[in-house]
Amino acid sequence: MDEIVIHTLDWVPELPRGYVRDLRVRWALEEAGLPYRVESTPLRQKTEEHFAHQPFGQVPWLTHSDMTIFESGAILHYLGTRSEALMPADPSQRAQVTQWLFAALNSVEMPVVPWTLFRFANEEPDSQGWRQLNGFLHGRLKHMDTVLAKTEWLVGDFSVADIAMSDVLRLVDRFEELAAYPKCRAYVARATARPAFRKAHADQLAHFAAADG
């Protein structure tokens, strides 16, 4: 297989470390045992090349041979089609993994991101916007707790769907908001106990820490 390169930021502040989405790609590649390297792009002065690869100036993007792909979900799906450690060969199960990958990044992450911004901004909990968003999130968490009460992983064995879903839920758990959803919390604990996650997480922290000087 030709060289796989993950492109991420050269540095971020302490708050987002361990949550920047190149982690999802690192994790997938570690699970699959595929060799890769990481290249940096500037946080503060984004280049034309950055926007050429990622039109919104975000990270990550992945290059593989002469191909470039952006958006963590799209990258996970791309890698999943290349390794049965990430996505099963059976067409029916593959379709289920794909639907849960999309669900993680749409149905669940949709309320998680603005909810997180409210929490980091210390938004007043009695505001109408906060109450609506909090209710939206907890509705999703309730449904996920029901799903995860019946299964260890979303579709048979661990897959890219679990990388996406557990990483989304992990951000909620950062604020202890999974306390009322024990199946979700246990699922996140199972996922983040995997050696591939631990290595990917440690490597991301080291990457940003190396640029602190």
Side-chain angles (χ1 to χ4, degrees):
M1 178 177 283
D2 294 325
E3 185 177 43
I4 296 174
V5 182
I6 302 171
H7 301 261
T8 190
L9 297 169
D10 57 351
W11 179 86
V12 296
E14 289 283 347
L15 196 62
R17 294 185 189 187
Y19 294 88
V20 182
R21 291 177 185 170
D22 67 273
L23 176 69
R24 300 173 182 179
V25 184
R26 293 173 185 263
W27 185 0
L29 289 165
E30 293 292 341
E31 291 281 357
L34 296 174
Y36 65 95
R37 63 183 175 86
V38 178
E39 286 194 357
S40 295
T41 189
L43 167 68
R44 293 192 171 94
Q45 294 183 334
K46 292 185 170 62
T47 64
E48 289 186 10
E49 181 183 5
H50 187 160
F51 285 104
H53 291 289
Q54 217 296 351
F56 306 105
Q58 298 173 311
V59 295
W61 75 87
L62 180 140
T63 56
H64 181 200
S65 188
D66 59 351
M67 184 215 65
T68 297
I69 184 168
F70 68 93
E71 289 293 339
S72 63
I75 297 169
L76 289 179
H77 188 269
Y78 174 78
L79 295 174
T81 63
R82 282 152 179 78
S83 171
E84 289 188 31
L86 300 174
M87 186 180 286
D90 176 74
S92 177
Q93 285 196 319
R94 182 167 287 208
Q96 291 179 57
V97 168
T98 301
Q99 75 177 3
W100 276 110
L101 174 61
F102 277 61
L105 304 177
N106 289 276
S107 296
V108 182
E109 193 168 42
M110 181 185 294
V112 167
V113 171
W115 180 88
T116 302
L117 294 176
F118 268 66
R119 291 297 300 264
F120 281 132
N122 295 314
E123 180 71 17
E124 289 296 327
D126 60 348
S127 70
Q128 182 179 359
W130 170 255
R131 289 196 302 271
Q132 290 177 334
L133 182 57
N134 198 49
F136 184 17
L137 172 67
H138 281 270
R140 292 292 194 252
L141 295 177
K142 180 180 178 181
H143 288 300
M144 283 308 305
D145 217 50
T146 300
V147 170
L148 294 168
K150 304 172 185 176
T151 186
E152 181 181 19
W153 305 116
L154 291 170
V155 184
D157 295 331
F158 185 86
S159 71
V160 289
D162 297 298
I163 290 176
M165 186 68 78
S166 62
D167 196 50
V168 170
L169 293 175
R170 189 170 65 94
L171 185 55
V172 180
D173 203 34
R174 179 173 185 167
F175 296 94
E176 301 295 327
E177 203 73 14
L178 293 185
Y181 305 96
K183 303 305 181 184
C184 289
R185 175 165 272 184
Y187 172 71
V188 171
R190 284 195 301 276
T192 56
R194 295 176 71 86
F197 171 84
R198 293 190 174 190
K199 183 176 187 306
H201 186 264
D203 287 351
Q204 186 187 87
L205 295 180
H207 173 84
F208 295 130
D212 280 341

